[in-house]
Amino acid sequence: MAKTGVISEGDSAKVVDLKKELLVLVKYLLEDNDNNNHENEYISNSGSNHSSCYIDAIDKAREVLSCLKDVKLKKTTSFRSDDDDGDDRSLSCPNEFRCPLSKQLMKDPVIISTGQTYDRPFIQKWLKAGHRICPLTQQVLSHSFVTPNYLIRELISQWCKTRGIESPKPVTGVNEDGPVEADRDHFVSLLDKMSKTIPEQKAAAKELRLLTKRMPSFRALFGESNDAVPCLLKPLTQRRGFSKSRNNENVDPNLQEDLITTLLNISIHDSNKKLVAETPMVISLLIDAINSGSPETRSNAAAALFTLSALDSNKTLIGKSGALKSLIDLLDEGHPLAVKDAASAIFNLCIVQENKARAVRDGAVSVILKKIKDGVHVDELLAILAMLSTNQRAVEELPELGGVPVLLNVVRESACARNRENCIAILYMICTNDRTKLRDLREEERAYGTLSHLVQDGTSRAKRKASGILDRLNRALLTTHTA
């Protein structure tokens, strides 16, 4: 059953006025005022006798009803439901807004691999029936995935709006079908090209990067075979084998970028994380990419390590591989594209205790302090430093590297409660380890009242740590006086 359409604001006001006028006329006609009672609004406004006015009122009522009919006819019905036999609007809509299969105005336009646009339910029904050609062009489809055509959807919406028609509602909660046999065949053919000429490798890598970015089901295909990831990385492993050094100098930069990014894309799929990380050479190739790739390749390699480190078993595996040193070096260089990805990966990896020691050994404390001084990603780096401060070597390095004044400055200047909390937690660990640093904190308290302010307005954790430092200061002062 068709829903009613919508009327413009001007037409709505006109309908109201017409109904009011009709109400006056009908009231007059029903009263049949033979006594020429001029209290009626219509009669009082006319100068004619009763009979003439009565006939005029009938004619006027007909005119008002005719006007009401005209206004109502301007209302165009909106989309019919799937159970309707047709769609009134489709009769007049532009051809480019019609689905070539249904011949109706499209509700959810999508693009297939040949570039043609169809309404989602109709093309999915076509594909599910086993058809592997484009209905319009008869071209063979390279894959069966569909992509929303936002441009056509917006044009349809604008077209409906200008005609006072309710816009079609995009399909929500669509259950995307998994890959079909044709997609698997295409997937295998792309991986097969990784053993062929460099132009074929580059073309296949670019398409795999695009498909794994847009299609979750295509990412899942890598999990169906233990050979898929090694096949994907064959251009990198072959050239790495030819080179005596641990880098990819012999690899085309664009090819390396596409392959590393594809690796990142497939690592997003939860069921792939263990398989990808445990595939021989994957972690080594990611480290190579961090060390010698283009800025985007290095950033994506760090992001891949971060994504893979969601699994605790992978955290240990990545930590043992020496990846932390490369991530810290990447953080130190400070390329805008890579700093945040490197910091995120380091944080995730250092959740595991043994990786904290590795990060400290590889110079994380000095690099992080330098970045905090420079005001680079202070939030993320303070969180890492707070985590590392539970390591004995880190807490010994911090004061030696001038960490106490840097942290106190952040506590004074930062408006971020979490940053202040992390700083005071690190300072608490420093004071617990080295009592001589209490002198610096006593001077800070006398000059600025920094610790007292935190006790008053810090987070609950910051209050506890600040109170703990103040207690130590008071005990140290009491001991000095007693002595």
Side-chain angles (χ1 to χ4, degrees):
M1 180 175 178
K3 298 177 183 177
T4 58
V6 293
I7 302 179
S8 67
E9 291 183 8
D11 285 344
S12 295
K14 186 175 181 180
V15 167
V16 171
D17 292 340
L18 288 170
K19 286 181 177 179
K20 286 180 180 178
E21 186 175 359
L22 183 62
L23 183 63
V24 171
L25 290 166
V26 171
K27 182 179 178 182
Y28 168 65
L29 292 172
L30 290 175
E31 287 175 354
D32 193 14
N33 194 344
D34 293 326
N35 296 323
N36 203 23
N37 182 355
H38 296 301
E39 291 180 1
N40 185 280
E41 180 182 347
Y42 183 77
I43 295 296
S44 64
N45 290 333
S46 66
S48 305
N49 60 41
H50 171 70
S51 298
S52 175
C53 287
Y54 195 82
I55 294 171
D56 288 345
I58 293 174
D59 291 338
K60 185 65 176 176
R62 285 174 178 165
E63 290 179 18
V64 172
L65 285 170
S66 178
C67 289
L68 270 174
K69 179 181 178 182
D70 290 341
V71 173
K72 288 292 185 180
L73 285 175
K74 286 175 64 178
K75 267 172 59 175
T76 308
T77 57
S78 65
F79 274 118
R80 298 176 180 268
S81 68
D82 292 338
D83 295 332
D84 287 329
D85 294 329
D87 187 339
D88 293 342
R89 288 185 299 183
S90 293
L91 296 175
S92 59
C93 76
N95 286 332
E96 58 267 29
F97 296 167
R98 299 173 188 265
C99 173
L101 290 171
S102 69
K103 308 302 181 186
Q104 296 177 3
L105 191 63
M106 290 185 281
K107 299 179 183 180
D108 190 5
V110 294
I111 305 171
I112 62 173
S113 66
T114 60
Q116 301 299 320
T117 297
Y118 297 88
D119 205 1
R120 184 189 293 270
F122 295 95
I123 191 61
Q124 285 189 332
K125 183 177 179 181
W126 168 272
L127 296 171
K128 200 169 183 179
H131 299 292
R132 290 297 168 262
I133 59 172
C134 173
L136 199 61
T137 66
Q138 300 300 301
Q139 290 177 266
V140 176
L141 302 175
S142 61
H143 57 77
S144 64
F145 298 111
V146 297
T147 306
N149 191 331
Y150 295 111
L151 175 60
I152 292 296
R153 182 183 294 176
E154 178 61 25
L155 289 173
I156 290 174
S157 178
Q158 292 294 332
W159 181 82
C160 291
K161 186 177 180 180
T162 58
R163 286 158 179 78
I165 301 171
E166 182 181 352
S167 297
K169 299 294 188 295
V171 177
T172 57
V174 175
N175 182 22
E176 293 282 359
D177 292 332
V180 295
E181 201 58 39
D183 301 321
R184 288 189 173 87
D185 292 343
H186 185 53
F187 173 69
V188 170
S189 72
L190 289 173
L191 291 181
D192 184 56
K193 289 177 182 178
M194 293 302 164
S195 300
K196 298 188 176 178
T197 65
I198 290 179
E200 288 177 294
Q201 291 175 355
K202 292 174 70 173
K206 192 165 290 296
E207 187 170 357
L208 282 166
R209 175 179 179 171
L210 182 63
L211 288 170
T212 53
K213 177 184 178 181
R214 297 190 315 191
M215 312 296 180
S217 52
F218 218 88
R219 297 174 207 151
L221 286 171
F222 279 89
E224 294 183 359
S225 168
N226 291 333
D227 296 329
V229 175
C231 286
L232 170 72
L233 300 174
K234 190 169 289 186
L236 301 182
T237 55
Q238 285 178 337
R239 285 165 179 77
R240 190 175 191 270
F242 296 152
S243 175
K244 293 181 181 180
S245 59
R246 288 174 58 84
N247 57 50
N248 281 317
E249 293 176 357
N250 295 333
V251 178
D252 180 279
N254 294 326
L255 176 58
Q256 183 190 26
E257 181 183 314
D258 288 335
L259 292 175
I260 292 298
T261 307
T262 301
L263 203 57
L264 166 62
N265 293 341
I266 64 178
S267 299
I268 293 170
H269 202 286
D270 285 343
S271 61
N272 287 342
K273 294 185 190 301
K274 184 176 177 63
L275 170 68
V276 171
E278 293 182 358
T279 297
M281 300 293 289
V282 164
I283 305 301
S284 297
L285 288 171
L286 288 173
I287 294 173
D288 287 348
I290 290 173
N291 292 339
S292 61
S294 67
E296 186 169 354
T297 300
R298 302 177 80 190
S299 177
N300 288 342
L305 289 176
F306 165 69
T307 303
L308 292 171
S309 65
L311 293 183
D312 286 343
S313 60
N314 286 352
K315 289 182 178 72
T316 302
L317 183 65
I318 294 168
K320 289 179 178 178
S321 71
L324 276 163
K325 180 67 171 69
S326 296
L327 289 167
I328 292 166
D329 290 343
L330 184 59
L331 181 66
D332 190 20
E333 291 179 24
H335 194 286
L337 276 175
V339 167
K340 192 160 188 177
D341 288 317
S344 298
I346 293 168
F347 180 88
N348 241 17
L349 291 169
C350 287
I351 292 173
V352 175
Q353 192 66 33
E354 56 264 33
N355 284 341
K356 293 181 187 179
R358 293 186 178 106
V360 173
R361 182 195 64 211
D362 290 333
V365 175
S366 61
V367 170
I368 291 172
L369 268 180
K370 183 173 70 173
K371 292 298 175 185
I372 292 173
K373 284 181 187 178
D374 295 338
V376 176
H377 291 290
V378 174
D379 299 8
E380 293 89 343
L381 296 179
L382 276 175
I384 299 173
L385 201 58
M387 186 183 297
L388 295 179
S389 68
T390 60
N391 176 268
Q392 180 64 29
R393 181 171 171 178
V395 84
E396 290 171 357
E397 282 187 17
L398 277 164
E400 295 173 3
L401 295 167
V404 173
V406 172
L407 295 169
L408 287 172
N409 185 65
V410 174
V411 175
R412 284 195 307 270
E413 303 296 333
S414 178
C416 176
R418 181 52 56 89
N419 286 352
R420 298 167 73 200
E421 175 188 314
N422 282 328
C423 283
I424 203 67
I426 299 167
L427 288 167
Y428 181 85
M429 295 300 296
I430 291 173
C431 292
T432 302
N433 182 73
D434 184 357
R435 290 172 56 87
T436 65
K437 297 305 170 186
L438 290 172
R439 185 183 308 140
D440 297 334
L441 291 170
R442 185 182 296 115
E443 293 174 1
E444 174 76 19
E445 182 64 14
R446 284 174 180 168
Y448 303 104
T450 303
L451 299 172
S452 299
H453 289 317
L454 267 183
V455 170
Q456 293 298 319
D457 60 13
T459 64
S460 58
R461 181 171 176 239
K463 289 177 180 179
R464 290 197 309 273
K465 299 298 182 181
S467 296
I469 295 174
L470 285 172
D471 288 343
R472 287 176 178 274
L473 288 175
N474 292 332
R475 288 200 302 271
L477 189 62
L478 182 61
T479 301
T480 301
H481 286 317
T482 303

